Each structure stands twice: as C-alpha cells, then as structure tokens.
Amino acid sequence: MTEYSWPDQSTYDPDRLQAAWPATVRVLPVGVRVTGEVIARQPFGVFIRIDGVPDALGLAEITAMPRDVALPAIGTTVTGEVIWHAEHNRQVKLRLLVAPAGTAAGLASTTADEAPAATARLVHGGHVFINFANRTYQWVDVQRFHLPEAVSDDRALLAALIAHERFGNDYASRPGDNPERHGPYWRDRITPACYDPIDTDAAERDVRAWASQFAPVPENLRPEMEQDVYQPLRAADRVYRLRGLGPAAFHDWGGVHNEFHEFVLIGRASRTLTLIVAADD
C-alpha cells in the first residue's frame, strides 16, 4: 500500500462538508485546541478526523509542524490548534503541537500543554498604509510584529507569519477580514518555501524602481517611505521575497494587480519582523 492517500470521499463528500461548514466554523474557532486521528497523508501534510465534529475535515500542513518532526502515520492520535478556516475547500487548518519527550510518533497527545517555540505566535506591533494618491494606484502596506522568544529558525518565523490572523489579507478589505486569501493568492498555497532570500540592497533597489516607474513618488510621502520602508530594509538582518506563484495559486479574483511585491524583514537584534507589500489597485 502506498504511504500516501486522500480522505475517503464517501465520508468527506464536498457537498457534505459545505452543508456543515457554518456549524464547523462556529464550533471550531481559530485558537481552539482539538484532538483527532490521522486518516490520510500526503507529502504536504496530514488529514485529520477531528474528535466530536464528524463533518469537519482537518488539515495540518508540514509547514505548520516543527521542521524536525516527521509526518505522523495514519491512525496516529494528534493534538493541534485551529489556525484558520479555508473556506474555498471547507478545510480546517491546524497547527500540530509537539508532545513531551517519549510520546509515541513525536506528536502531541491530549496531555500536551504548550505549542513548541517554532510555532509560537508573532505579536502584532503596528500597521502603516502608504497611498501614493498620484493616479498610479500604487500603495505600500507595512505590518510590524515582535518576534517570539527563542525562535532562531527563519522558516519557523515565516510559518508563524503565515499562520497569523493578519496574514489573511486580500488588501481590498481590513487585515484579518478575509482569512482564506493573501494578496492575489489562496492563503493555503503559501508556505515558507515560497520565500527566497534577497540581498537588502537589492530589495531596496527593487522597491525604489517599482515606486517611481510611472511617476515620481509624491514629495510629501518620501519621508514616510524612508522611515517605514527603506530604513527597515537596510536595518534587517535577513530579507525574504515572496516569489510569484502564478495563476494556479490565484484565488477567485486574484491577478487584478499589475504588480505584487512582498518582502519579509527579520531583525534579530531588534526582535522584529516586518511584512512589506508594494502593489497597486
């Protein structure tokens, strides 16, 4: 038998999941801890039958697991935390919690008390929106976060960013109001592996070129761009850029931006993470 499989379609029929979806979201809000059994596994994660909610299908992706923990086997009982609801396919996204030493399969049992440091939450620290208002329809969105304690792995920080409620942002409504989308993409198509390291100088050059490609940046916005975009880029220890994921990852109205540029800035000394998105309407 192959090590990979999909959930039983007779049990998790899409129509059945859709009919139960309002109740699923109500009884499984973001942040609630759940237990369940692994019923199927794929290279990207495991599907989970959530205890007490038979018409809910859980998915814990490998990016929401500590990097040193293997995918659990079918039949394993695990504990996780709801991190968002993927409305387009009616899946409850979970972050698996690590078990105390000696627990079978290296995953949490129902007695696990804490999420590992690698999956600690970022703390939101502020938001700046810069609207060029010069008929280019360009804008820059800046989200600032405080780093959690004792997380040294950049992949874990990127996973924490993707899991944060502020990452659910289509940039057409308020951050957090559209949790299944991020920019032009379905949120569940974005993983830490989608971010490539980029030199800080190169990142600044790219933003400056984008900002002035149609018209000079308005004079009154230049100090704000310097303070909130260029200075943080220069001060960052590491900068990552979200690569273009292509139309296959677009959500139902994705692709409306002429350009979409996203950078994640990590500052170890300042214990900050900054998400910068530069795009247009």
Side-chain angles (χ1 to χ4, degrees):
M1 183 178 71
T2 179
E3 63 176 315
Y4 298 124
S5 61
W6 294 98
D8 180 7
Q9 289 297 303
S10 64
T11 302
Y12 291 100
D13 175 74
D15 292 336
R16 180 178 173 181
L17 293 178
Q18 181 172 355
W21 185 246
T24 297
V25 173
R26 185 173 64 253
V27 301
L28 297 174
V30 171
V32 72
R33 185 167 296 186
V34 301
T35 59
E37 178 186 356
V38 175
I39 58 172
R41 59 202 305 271
Q42 288 289 327
F44 55 80
V46 293
F47 293 92
I48 297 166
R49 179 188 295 115
I50 299 173
D51 292 346
V53 194
D55 292 328
L57 179 60
L59 174 62
E61 294 179 308
I62 196 168
T63 55
M65 303 179 196
R67 64 184 303 177
D68 57 346
V69 173
L71 286 174
I74 292 175
T76 302
T77 297
V78 297
T79 296
E81 179 186 9
V82 176
I83 55 176
W84 78 81
H85 305 102
E87 186 169 355
H88 70 287
N89 57 10
R90 309 303 192 267
Q91 292 176 356
V92 179
K93 297 305 177 71
L94 303 174
R95 175 192 296 119
L96 294 189
L97 308 183
V98 165
T103 300
L107 292 170
S109 68
T110 57
T111 60
D113 291 325
E114 295 182 344
T119 57
R121 290 181 180 273
L122 299 172
V123 177
H124 188 248
H127 176 216
V128 173
F129 184 77
I130 305 173
N131 186 356
F132 285 16
N134 62 348
R135 298 186 180 181
T136 64
Y137 306 102
Q138 292 170 283
W139 48 263
V140 178
D141 188 276
V142 181
Q143 300 280 352
R144 301 191 187 97
F145 302 87
H146 302 295
L147 295 185
E149 296 283 355
V151 178
S152 58
D153 180 9
D154 287 357
R155 283 173 54 92
L157 292 175
L158 291 169
L161 172 64
I162 294 167
H164 197 280
E165 55 268 21
R166 285 263 170 172
F167 195 78
N169 191 351
D170 59 9
Y171 296 98
S173 53
R174 293 182 304 176
D177 280 359
N178 206 338
E180 73 274 16
R181 296 175 177 83
H182 178 79
Y185 305 120
W186 289 118
R187 182 178 180 178
D188 61 4
R189 303 295 178 88
I190 303 174
T191 71
C194 297
Y195 289 87
D196 298 319
I198 181 173
D199 179 81
T200 55
D201 290 340
E204 181 176 350
R205 287 196 300 271
D206 287 352
V207 176
R208 288 185 180 276
W210 166 85
S212 60
Q213 64 180 319
F214 301 119
V217 175
E219 188 71 30
N220 65 306
L221 295 183
R222 293 181 184 179
E224 193 171 0
M225 288 288 290
E226 179 65 27
Q227 175 180 316
D228 294 314
V229 179
Y230 302 132
Q231 287 183 7
L233 275 169
R234 291 193 292 268
D237 296 312
R238 295 293 296 273
V239 178
Y240 291 87
R241 181 173 192 161
L242 178 66
R243 74 173 68 97
L245 304 183
F250 284 166
H251 56 66
D252 45 358
W253 51 267
V256 299
H257 303 101
N258 290 322
E259 295 186 36
F260 185 87
H261 303 278
E262 177 170 322
F263 302 89
V264 178
L265 289 51
I266 298 175
R268 294 291 180 185
S270 59
R271 290 189 55 219
T272 59
L273 183 149
T274 303
L275 172 64
I276 296 176
V277 171
D280 56 70
D281 290 330

